[in-house]
Amino acid sequence: MGTNQLSVQDQIRQLEDARKLVLGNSGYYTQVIQATLPIIGPSSQVEFRRWGADFLAEAFATPAIAPNQKETLSLLVLETLRLLLDNPNQDVLVLRGVIQAAASIYPLALRWIINNSWDAHTWEHMTAIKTMILRIWDTAPPTIRICCIKFAQRVVLAQTPSINQEPKRGDVLDISLVMIPQEHPILDGPKLEAEASGLLDRMLGTLQDNSCDALIVDSTLNTLSILIRNRPATSNRILNTILNFNPLKIANSPMTPKTKVLAKSMEKTTRMLLMHLSRRNPQNPQIGRIQQYVDRLMRSRAEIFDEGNRKRALVEQADGMDSKRQRTSPVSSPQIEISPLSPGPHTLADVFTFTNNEGLKGFNAAALVPAPLAAKISVTTIARVDAQLLDRAIQGVRDRLTTLFTAQQPINPETTPLDVEEDDDDYEPDYYAAEDTEQILNKLDSSPADERRELEKPVLSGLALPSFSLPPPPTLNPDQAAAAGQKSITRVFGTMRTLEDPAVKKAKAGMNRLAASSYDQSSWITVISRIATRTGGVLELFLPDGEDGAKGPPRLSDSIREQLFNFVLEDFRRRIDVAVSWLSEEWYDNELQKKAVSSSPFRQEAPANYEKWALRLLDGFLPYLHAQDKVLTRFLSELPQLSAAMLSRVQAICRDPSLVNLAITSLYYLVVMRPPVRDIALDAIQDIWTDYEDAKPIAAKYLPRWRPSFMEKAKQIKVESEESLAVGGATAAVAT
């Protein structure tokens, strides 16, 4: 890698390139690990050691490598891991990666020693690594201690009996004590089991001591779940320890924000672990204890953390209350006083306002409180309000609305009584001079013709709902309509890209299938392709492009076709069925347009969209084919119609000698399986035989059967050319 010339940053960049290589293809892990071990050794710079430790931890944890390959690779890195751990002043990040890698390697090394008892040197390295990790367990920083806990868990899993008593038929990754033969020369089963029991006690010691270190407690609890599930022999001891653990003990100290976070973290981890165990095994005999413990834990958490959030009562209220009376007296539902509205017009806010506080009435919540916060407060308040109180308030609003509606009824002059007193029957004549007939006639002549005018209807207040109609939408010009349609189609394609292909593909229903029978990618493809091909397809034949022959705005169908084309070419091997479905719709649309043109009085040619886009797709993906591709054969065999122009594109790929067999095989498949295109396919094979010298041996296998006359003529021409060459050579010899 040029370590003498390149800087550290450049070398790290090269190492990252190697990591990207193995992430793309796991087959290179062996070569990369062997090449990088000398670079990440104990004497190298700390940057290389950090990268190497992280890379080894990642390599042995990835499921992309087979267990047997990991077992072989572990033999190569054990010595390097041991040397990195042996340095007392080792970097913390290097230690973390080394311990994580050792945790993944330990079961693999144990299985190797079980099957290869002669390799005592490897087990010596593994034992030394285990001893060093367990020695720094209690004194290391928290990030290293967490990795040590994970390593101890893997050791306990490997050195205790598993559920499966027949290891050869069980899980390949489940390496346990039952795999060790009784007479093994290196491994002592009872001794290893005793060591695992001691390590488990050491892990449980964190919970037994009610540790307040949330990181260590949470990491220990997270590792115990796997032990309970895979090693039932240890489950009772682990459950008893967890049920005796009090994660809220730290809350007894002065409550600070840090203490609150630590207590909540330990309580939640403990509770989630126990709830997971109870759901996974409902028949567990200790399910009752687990449920009681979880309930008690939730009550304690509520008392500790919710008590501080409650508001304190007023001093005068607290002094005047009797605690016993609070517990025994029935709780009365709160009451609300709803006063009737005063006479006069009122707004909608007045109808819903029950308070008499002028300050609250003048508070403008719409201007001062953001809408999201107001919505959150409203939802929370309605959820917590007393049901009787809410019903009382709703009924009060209804009563007010009823009162206002009754007061605003229009006056009927025919039925409304006059404002006179019924009991006043005394008649007192006016002492005015009576008008004569002439005066009355003059007054009638000067008065309007229609004396009885209809009374105007009273104007309703703002509470009445007026009629409302939306204004007509603005008229879109063709450019705006095309832009809006383009945006809609872009969103549809964005949705299609997020949909995954179904794991089990259903049989195709043909041209009469329902376009939107489901919401998968296939249904969207059918919908969008039919929008492109069948929406206004016939009408577009007879629509002019614009004034004076100018081209109009881009048609929506052409935009959809362009996006379908790009969508297919993004991953043409997986989306070749999308291309076939789309082109089938194009072919059907072309047939409809040809029929419409033939019956139309206008002379117009139907656009050949099918052949145009089929040729574009062929030009798009043919340059990316390789010799083993089956995409070309499938594409040609499923298209509804083939032309000589399409097969000429296939003929052109024979310029690459590696693709000659693919091209001729695809064409011969058409000869055998699609008789309607047999002639043009044979013409293409015949042209390949004529134009490409490298393709003649392969094409000669098929042409004698289907074109014997052509082959005989070709042989005759070849013989004549050879004879002419021979005669020419003899003549030249005589001349000399």
Side-chain angles (χ1 to χ4, degrees), residues 219-231:
S219 59
T220 302
L221 291 171
N222 290 330
T223 56
L224 294 178
S225 174
I226 301 177
L227 290 175
I228 295 174
R229 184 172 68 249
N230 294 338
R231 300 295 181 264

Side-chain angles (χ1 to χ4, degrees), residues 267-277 279:
E267 184 272 335
K268 183 177 181 180
T269 306
T270 306
R271 176 165 45 85
M272 297 304 293
L273 171 61
L274 293 175
M275 292 174 65
H276 167 72
L277 295 176
R279 285 196 301 265

Side-chain angles (χ1 to χ4, degrees), residues 252-304:
N252 296 331
S253 59
M255 188 64 69
T256 62
K258 179 181 178 180
T259 305
K260 185 180 295 187
V261 171
L262 296 178
K264 286 184 176 180
S265 175
M266 292 188 291
E267 184 272 335
K268 183 177 181 180
T269 306
T270 306
R271 176 165 45 85
M272 297 304 293
L273 171 61
L274 293 175
M275 292 174 65
H276 167 72
L277 295 176
S278 61
R279 285 196 301 265
R280 187 176 182 85
N281 186 13
Q283 307 301 326
N284 193 330
Q286 297 199 34
I287 194 70
R289 289 187 60 193
I290 293 175
Q291 189 62 40
Q292 292 177 3
Y293 180 87
V294 171
D295 294 341
R296 184 170 65 252
L297 198 62
M298 295 178 67
R299 287 196 301 270
S300 301
R301 181 185 184 279
E303 293 174 359
I304 294 173

Side-chain angles (χ1 to χ4, degrees), residues 13-28:
R13 193 178 300 111
Q14 290 185 352
L15 292 174
E16 286 296 330
D17 292 338
R19 170 181 280 176
K20 294 177 182 178
L21 175 65
V22 297
L23 290 177
N25 188 350
S26 60
Y28 292 106

Side-chain angles (χ1 to χ4, degrees), residues 511-512 529-542 561 583-600 604-610 640-641:
M511 297 299 296
N512 294 325
S529 59
R530 290 185 180 179
I531 291 176
T533 57
R534 303 190 190 181
T535 305
V538 177
L539 295 177
E540 288 179 355
L541 292 173
F542 312 109
R561 291 184 177 105
L583 291 177
S584 299
E585 298 287 348
E586 292 285 2
W587 174 83
Y588 180 72
D589 177 65
N590 282 2
E591 295 299 319
L592 291 179
Q593 293 190 20
K594 290 177 183 178
K595 184 178 179 180
V597 167
S598 62
S599 61
S600 173
Q604 183 81 16
E605 292 185 2
N609 289 318
Y610 168 72
Q641 185 178 359

Side-chain angles (χ1 to χ4, degrees), residues 38-50:
I39 304 175
I40 63 176
S43 59
S44 58
Q45 298 185 27
V46 65
E47 290 85 359
F48 298 139
R49 282 181 279 142
R50 287 177 178 175

Side-chain angles (χ1 to χ4, degrees), residues 492-502 505 513 515-529 564 567-568 570-571 574-579 581:
V492 172
F493 275 95
T495 302
M496 285 197 308
R497 286 184 173 87
T498 61
L499 298 176
E500 298 181 356
D501 294 335
K505 294 188 177 181
R513 65 189 180 277
S517 57
S518 60
Y519 296 98
D520 56 358
Q521 190 182 85
S522 177
S523 296
W524 280 111
I525 291 295
T526 306
V527 170
I528 203 69
S529 59
L564 276 171
F567 179 76
V568 172
E570 286 176 1
D571 191 358
R574 291 181 56 194
R575 297 172 180 171
I576 199 67
D577 55 340
V578 175
S581 175

